[in-house]
């Protein structure tokens, strides 16, 4: 396998890749094949009259098929103090043996272990697909050389002693010590504590935590820890026990149902024996048949089989769902809210115009670039990229989400770049002349920011951005699917309208500060479930508030962390695909659940009436389970059309 070469990150190859025996799917398939062989061997031996041999073979089948289930049952019992279907399966198989049908019990265990192995296999595929995605977006960090030059290094190449420049909203790629700057750091990923902590010179920062508003220089102490994506994988692994609402239903259902079935056995036995006058052996046989038929395997497996397969199919196409719950919420969404910059547009902005009010254009550009090189905002990157000379020293730079960035020059003056509200924050005023110039730039579709020093405005900066090539088609496809599509942006209305026209969105909310975006999403949530798509630091609160938060893989690390779904290919068409996948998944889950419950009701009733012989009960019950798993696995091959 070439995987170790294509995955540049620090996920260890899972143990099972070194040793097939540790691969749960391979082991499961191996054991279920053994169970089938010995079960069938037992039937053959019985037909030849070799009864002891037959029972010996069936005993082996019980061990190979029953021990993994028994282990699982005991684990659940001890850890969660719950009874689960695994227990029911083992009891049912023993019950079949107790009425002289050990072969049927063995077949029951075979089918049960096969359906588990199929699930493990689907999960392994999902995991591999996610690992392939990691190769698509290799992670790294910005390292500052002693001469002040900044280079990007892949995570694996980071070494103790390197100095990292960590911009606002970025994740720390390694454990280290702050050597310059001051910031608030969100350590909730490690400590669960959601209030950010202050970090300044000499303080330790931990790999995987998020930088807040300040800019930090950090000396690497330990080689990099987990990458963001490695963390996503861990999340998806947890999603194996994911808690989407239907799954919670199945889970909540599992324990009490198991108990109810177990308790019903003596009731059925007593009823058949005393009420209907059946012989003790016949009554026991009927109770055991009922036990087999009523075990809710298919109900419990119906949802995870579909959800896991869908997550795998999504991952292969570059849409990474963090949980099964996200899939389910997406299938119910009615409103899509899209951020403009970086989401509908490429976010690869170019500085087009510098209009100076005070001083030379060169000076203005140098000042702006010296500050903006410390910001992660796409506007900032455009301004910084346009400057190739020596930057000025700027101290204690802090970004203000959705407004701009501010720092101090050597002489103690503040220097800032931002939008109109930010200008007002700095106590600077815009006269009619400046407003006129701004309006002219915005009428051309340029995003404008203002550069200032102290309380004086020095220059206007106009940057251009182009809509993503696929944005218009993606918006049209979402509308065809009946979605209401709206744009939410922090930019000016005139600029927003330019982009909205190009991508054909009619409903626009502009000039929104991050808290307004959040409020807007909450407002929209009252009208229907909202999918919020964003890429920036300013989108993070809104992504959290929406039913489904979607982030671009190229977006800020905070937005990646806040999202429920990541578009790894940085392509809006992925969202359309994710929708259709989510809807197919929901339909599959509904079908699977109704089918599974239907089988139990129908066959269970017939079994009570004594109309189902045990072998048929086994086939109906476990055949139903395999069928449901198969229907779920079909989603692995899900393809989207427009
Ligand atoms: P959007 O919602 O379209 O992604 P933001 O909320 O991130 O936009 O930003 C809103 C506006 O604030 C930008 O159009 C820009 O003028 C200004 N702004 C925010 N941060 C910066 C920055 N670091 N440098 C310059 N301008 C900024
Ligand atoms: Mg944005």
């Amino acid at each position: 396998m070439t995987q170790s070469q294509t995955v540049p990150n620090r996920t260890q190859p899972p143990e099972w890749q070194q040793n097939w025996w540790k691969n749960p799917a391979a082991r499961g398939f191996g054991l279920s094949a053994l169970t089938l062989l010995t079960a069938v061997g037992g039937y053959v031996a019985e037909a030849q009259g070799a009864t002891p041999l037959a029972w010996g073979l069936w005993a082996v089948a019980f061990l190979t098929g029953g021990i993994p289930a028994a282990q699982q049952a005991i684990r659940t019992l001890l850890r969660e103090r719950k009874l689960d279907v695994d227990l029911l399966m083992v009891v049912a198989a023993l019950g079949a043996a107790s009425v002289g049908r050990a072969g049927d019990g063995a077949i029951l265990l075979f089918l049960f272990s096969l359906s588990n192995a199929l699930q493990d296999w689907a999960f392994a595929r999902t995991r591999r697909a996610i690992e392939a995605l990691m190769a698509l977006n290799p992670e790294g960090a910005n390292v500052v050389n002693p001469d002040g030059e900044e280079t990007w290094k892949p995570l694996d190449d980071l070494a103790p002693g390197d100095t990292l420049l960590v911009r606002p909203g970025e994740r720390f790629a390694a454990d280290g010590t702050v050597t310059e700057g001051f910031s608030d750091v969100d350590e909730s990923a490690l400590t669960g504590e959601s209030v950010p902590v202050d970090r300044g010179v000499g303080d330790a920062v931990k790999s995987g935590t998020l930088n807040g508003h300040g800019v930090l220089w950090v000396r690497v102490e330990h080689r990099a820890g987990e990458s963001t994506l490695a963390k996503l994988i861990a999340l998806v692994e947890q999603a194996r026990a994911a808690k989407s609402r239907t799954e919670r239903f199945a889970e909540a259902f599992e324990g009490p149902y198991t108990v109810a079935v177990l308790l019903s056995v003596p009731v059925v036995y007593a009823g058949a024996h005393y009420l209907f006058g059946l012989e003790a052996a016949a009554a026991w046989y009927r109770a055991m048949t009922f036990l087999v038929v009523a075990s809710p395997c298919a109900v419990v497996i119906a949802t995870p089989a579909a959800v896991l397969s869908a997550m795998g199919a999504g991952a292969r196409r570059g849409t990474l769902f963090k949980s099964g719950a996200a899939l389910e919420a997406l299938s119910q969404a009615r409103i899509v809210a899209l951020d403009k910059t970086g989401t509908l547009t490429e976010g690869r902005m170019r500085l087009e115009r510098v209009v100076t009010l005070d001083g030379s254009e060169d000076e203005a550009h140098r000042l702006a670039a010296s500050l903006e090189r410390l910001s992660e905002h796409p506007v900032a990157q455009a301004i910084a990229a346009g400057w190739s000379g020596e930057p000025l020293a700027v101290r204690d730079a802090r970004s203000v989400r959705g407004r701009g960035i501010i720092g101090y020059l050597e002489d103690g003056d503040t220097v800032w770049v931002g939008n109109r509200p930010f200008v007002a924050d700095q106590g600077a005023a815009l006269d009619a002349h400046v407003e006129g110039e701004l309006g002219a730039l915005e009428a051309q579709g340029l995003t404008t920011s203002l550069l200032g020093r102290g309380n004086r405005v020095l220059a206007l900066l106009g940057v251009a951005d182009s809509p993503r090539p696929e944005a218009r088609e993606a918006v049209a496809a979402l509308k065809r699917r009946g979605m209401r599509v709206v744009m939410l942006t922090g930019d000016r209305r005139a600029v927003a309208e330019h982009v909205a026209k190009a991508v054909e969105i009619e409903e626009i909310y502009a000039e929104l500060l991050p808290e307004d975006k959040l409020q807007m999403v909450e407002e929209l949530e009252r009208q229907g479930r909202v999918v919020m798509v964003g890429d920036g630091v300013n989108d993070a609160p809104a992504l959290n508030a929406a039913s489904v938060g979607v982030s671009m893989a190229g977006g800020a690390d905070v937005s990646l962390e806040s999202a429920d779904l990541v578009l790894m290919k940085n392509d809006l068409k992925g969202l359309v695909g994710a929708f259709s996948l989510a809807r197919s998944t929901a339909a599959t889950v509904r079908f699977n659940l109704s089918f599974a419950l239907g089988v139990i009701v129908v066959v269970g009733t017939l079994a009570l009436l004594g109309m189902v012989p045990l072998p048929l009960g086994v086939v109906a019950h476990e055949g139903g389970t395999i069928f449901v798993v198969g229907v779920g696995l079909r989603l692995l091959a899900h393809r989207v059309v427009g």
Side-chain angles (χ1 to χ4, degrees), residues 169-190:
E170 283 180 350
R171 205 166 177 274
F172 297 100
D175 291 347
T177 309
V178 177
T179 55
E180 199 182 327
F182 181 81
S183 187
D184 50 312
V185 173
D186 172 359
E187 295 191 339
S188 59
L190 289 184

Short mmCIF file of all heavy atoms in Angstrom, two decimals, residues 169-190:
data_model
loop_
_atom_site.label_atom_id
_atom_site.label_comp_id
_atom_site.label_asym_id
_atom_site.label_seq_id
_atom_site.Cartn_x
_atom_site.Cartn_y
_atom_site.Cartn_z
N GLY A 169 -6.87 33.24 14.98
CA GLY A 169 -7.75 32.20 14.45
C GLY A 169 -7.03 30.97 13.99
O GLY A 169 -7.66 30.03 13.53
N GLU A 170 -5.70 30.93 14.11
CA GLU A 170 -4.97 29.75 13.68
C GLU A 170 -4.76 28.79 14.84
O GLU A 170 -4.75 29.17 16.00
CB GLU A 170 -3.62 30.14 13.06
CG GLU A 170 -3.77 30.68 11.65
CD GLU A 170 -2.43 31.07 11.02
OE1 GLU A 170 -1.40 31.11 11.72
OE2 GLU A 170 -2.43 31.36 9.83
N ARG A 171 -4.51 27.54 14.46
CA ARG A 171 -4.30 26.50 15.42
C ARG A 171 -2.81 26.37 15.68
O ARG A 171 -2.02 26.52 14.76
CB ARG A 171 -4.80 25.22 14.74
CG ARG A 171 -5.24 24.15 15.61
CD ARG A 171 -6.02 23.17 14.72
NE ARG A 171 -6.42 22.04 15.50
CZ ARG A 171 -5.64 20.99 15.70
NH1 ARG A 171 -4.48 20.91 15.13
NH2 ARG A 171 -6.07 20.00 16.46
N PHE A 172 -2.41 26.09 16.91
CA PHE A 172 -0.99 25.86 17.18
C PHE A 172 -0.63 24.48 16.66
O PHE A 172 -1.27 23.50 17.02
CB PHE A 172 -0.69 25.97 18.68
CG PHE A 172 -0.96 27.35 19.21
CD1 PHE A 172 -2.13 27.64 19.89
CD2 PHE A 172 -0.04 28.37 19.00
CE1 PHE A 172 -2.40 28.91 20.36
CE2 PHE A 172 -0.29 29.65 19.46
CZ PHE A 172 -1.47 29.93 20.15
N ALA A 173 0.40 24.45 15.82
CA ALA A 173 0.75 23.18 15.19
C ALA A 173 1.67 22.34 16.06
O ALA A 173 1.93 21.19 15.76
CB ALA A 173 1.42 23.45 13.85
N ALA A 174 2.19 22.93 17.14
CA ALA A 174 3.09 22.18 18.01
C ALA A 174 3.03 22.78 19.41
O ALA A 174 2.55 23.90 19.59
CB ALA A 174 4.52 22.27 17.48
N ASP A 175 3.52 22.04 20.39
CA ASP A 175 3.66 22.59 21.74
C ASP A 175 4.82 23.57 21.71
O ASP A 175 5.84 23.31 21.09
CB ASP A 175 4.02 21.48 22.73
CG ASP A 175 2.85 20.53 22.95
OD1 ASP A 175 1.73 20.89 22.54
OD2 ASP A 175 3.07 19.45 23.51
N GLY A 176 4.66 24.70 22.39
CA GLY A 176 5.76 25.66 22.36
C GLY A 176 5.64 26.71 23.44
O GLY A 176 4.74 26.67 24.29
N THR A 177 6.57 27.68 23.39
CA THR A 177 6.59 28.78 24.34
C THR A 177 6.49 30.08 23.56
O THR A 177 7.15 30.24 22.54
CB THR A 177 7.92 28.78 25.12
OG1 THR A 177 8.12 27.47 25.64
CG2 THR A 177 7.89 29.79 26.25
N VAL A 178 5.66 31.01 24.06
CA VAL A 178 5.49 32.29 23.39
C VAL A 178 6.76 33.12 23.56
O VAL A 178 7.26 33.28 24.67
CB VAL A 178 4.29 33.05 23.98
CG1 VAL A 178 4.16 34.42 23.33
CG2 VAL A 178 3.00 32.24 23.79
N THR A 179 7.31 33.61 22.45
CA THR A 179 8.50 34.46 22.54
C THR A 179 8.16 35.92 22.26
O THR A 179 8.93 36.81 22.56
CB THR A 179 9.58 34.01 21.54
OG1 THR A 179 9.01 34.00 20.23
CG2 THR A 179 10.10 32.63 21.87
N GLU A 180 6.99 36.15 21.65
CA GLU A 180 6.60 37.52 21.35
C GLU A 180 5.10 37.56 21.14
O GLU A 180 4.51 36.63 20.61
CB GLU A 180 7.33 37.98 20.07
CG GLU A 180 7.38 39.47 19.91
CD GLU A 180 8.06 39.87 18.59
OE1 GLU A 180 8.98 39.15 18.16
OE2 GLU A 180 7.64 40.89 18.01
N GLY A 181 4.49 38.68 21.58
CA GLY A 181 3.07 38.86 21.34
C GLY A 181 2.23 38.51 22.56
O GLY A 181 2.73 38.07 23.60
N PHE A 182 0.94 38.76 22.41
CA PHE A 182 0.00 38.54 23.50
C PHE A 182 -1.32 38.17 22.86
O PHE A 182 -1.73 38.76 21.87
CB PHE A 182 -0.13 39.84 24.31
CG PHE A 182 -1.06 39.69 25.47
CD1 PHE A 182 -0.61 39.11 26.66
CD2 PHE A 182 -2.38 40.10 25.38
CE1 PHE A 182 -1.46 38.95 27.74
CE2 PHE A 182 -3.25 39.93 26.45
CZ PHE A 182 -2.78 39.36 27.63
N SER A 183 -2.00 37.17 23.40
CA SER A 183 -3.26 36.77 22.78
C SER A 183 -4.14 36.00 23.77
O SER A 183 -3.69 35.63 24.85
CB SER A 183 -2.98 35.89 21.56
OG SER A 183 -4.18 35.64 20.87
N ASP A 184 -5.36 35.78 23.35
CA ASP A 184 -6.24 34.90 24.10
C ASP A 184 -6.25 33.56 23.36
O ASP A 184 -6.28 33.54 22.14
CB ASP A 184 -7.66 35.48 24.17
CG ASP A 184 -8.17 35.88 22.80
OD1 ASP A 184 -7.41 36.56 22.07
OD2 ASP A 184 -9.30 35.50 22.44
N VAL A 185 -6.20 32.47 24.11
CA VAL A 185 -6.08 31.16 23.48
C VAL A 185 -7.24 30.28 23.94
O VAL A 185 -7.55 30.21 25.13
CB VAL A 185 -4.73 30.50 23.84
CG1 VAL A 185 -4.67 29.08 23.33
CG2 VAL A 185 -3.58 31.32 23.26
N ASP A 186 -7.88 29.66 22.97
CA ASP A 186 -9.00 28.77 23.25
C ASP A 186 -8.45 27.36 23.46
O ASP A 186 -8.03 26.72 22.51
CB ASP A 186 -9.97 28.83 22.07
CG ASP A 186 -11.08 27.81 22.17
OD1 ASP A 186 -11.10 27.04 23.15
OD2 ASP A 186 -11.92 27.77 21.26
N GLU A 187 -8.45 26.91 24.69
CA GLU A 187 -7.88 25.59 24.99
C GLU A 187 -8.96 24.55 25.21
O GLU A 187 -8.70 23.47 25.75
CB GLU A 187 -6.96 25.69 26.23
CG GLU A 187 -5.75 26.57 25.96
CD GLU A 187 -4.67 26.49 27.03
OE1 GLU A 187 -5.00 26.09 28.17
OE2 GLU A 187 -3.52 26.85 26.72
N SER A 188 -10.18 24.87 24.78
CA SER A 188 -11.30 23.96 25.06
C SER A 188 -11.06 22.57 24.48
O SER A 188 -11.55 21.58 25.02
CB SER A 188 -12.61 24.54 24.54
OG SER A 188 -12.53 24.76 23.16
N ALA A 189 -10.28 22.50 23.38
CA ALA A 189 -10.04 21.19 22.78
C ALA A 189 -9.32 20.27 23.75
O ALA A 189 -9.49 19.05 23.71
CB ALA A 189 -9.22 21.34 21.50
N LEU A 190 -8.52 20.85 24.63
CA LEU A 190 -7.77 20.04 25.59
C LEU A 190 -8.46 19.95 26.94
O LEU A 190 -8.54 18.90 27.55
CB LEU A 190 -6.38 20.64 25.82
CG LEU A 190 -5.38 20.53 24.69
CD1 LEU A 190 -4.05 21.09 25.13
CD2 LEU A 190 -5.22 19.08 24.28
#
